[in-house]
Amino acid sequence: MRVICATHRDLKQMIRDGKFRADLYFRLNIVTFEVPPLRDRQEDVVLLCEHFLQKQAALYQEPVRQLSGAAREVLTAYSWPGNVRELANVMEHAYITARSSV
């Protein structure tokens, strides 16, 4: 069995504060990947958008829609405080409400 989990909290601090079990932390913390927030890797925004558009197209069995140049600029300029989940929701909303293939 593999457990993959993610958090935005400082688990080591939570252990010190008595809010997270140390034994559980050490059982889970075998391999750690530090992934910077989306705001720090804007070069990934368009790639992720295209992935989400492909995912929606497959779900609805439709041709893949494209991002306009203006949409790319707006999406890469935003700070994405909700990170990748927020981007996925925005792209799903855009896909559903768009009136054209771009």
Side-chain angles (χ1 to χ4, degrees):
M1 177 173 85
R2 289 186 183 149
V3 176
I4 300 173
C5 50
T7 184
H8 65 283
R9 300 184 188 243
D10 184 346
L11 295 180
K12 290 180 183 177
Q13 182 62 48
M14 291 178 70
I15 291 168
R16 288 189 290 272
D17 295 342
K19 296 180 179 178
F20 195 85
R21 290 178 33 194
D23 65 313
L24 179 58
Y25 174 80
F26 291 114
R27 288 176 190 263
L28 294 173
N29 191 31
I30 306 301
V31 177
T32 302
F33 293 100
E34 295 288 331
V35 180
L38 194 52
R39 69 179 168 272
D40 293 341
R41 49 191 177 101
Q42 291 178 329
E43 66 277 3
D44 291 347
V45 170
V46 171
L47 292 171
L48 287 166
C49 289
E50 291 171 347
H51 165 74
F52 294 131
L53 289 175
Q54 290 173 358
K55 189 175 172 182
Q56 291 298 313
L59 178 66
Y60 294 109
Q61 299 177 348
E62 298 177 351
V64 178
R65 296 182 181 176
Q66 305 299 313
L67 289 173
S68 68
R72 288 171 189 262
E73 289 179 26
V74 169
L75 292 165
T76 55
Y78 184 64
S79 66
W80 299 106
N83 222 340
V84 176
R85 287 184 192 98
E86 180 184 9
L87 177 60
N89 289 341
V90 165
M91 294 310 300
E92 184 173 1
H93 175 83
Y95 189 92
I96 292 168
T97 60
R99 296 184 179 177
S100 72
S101 63
V102 178

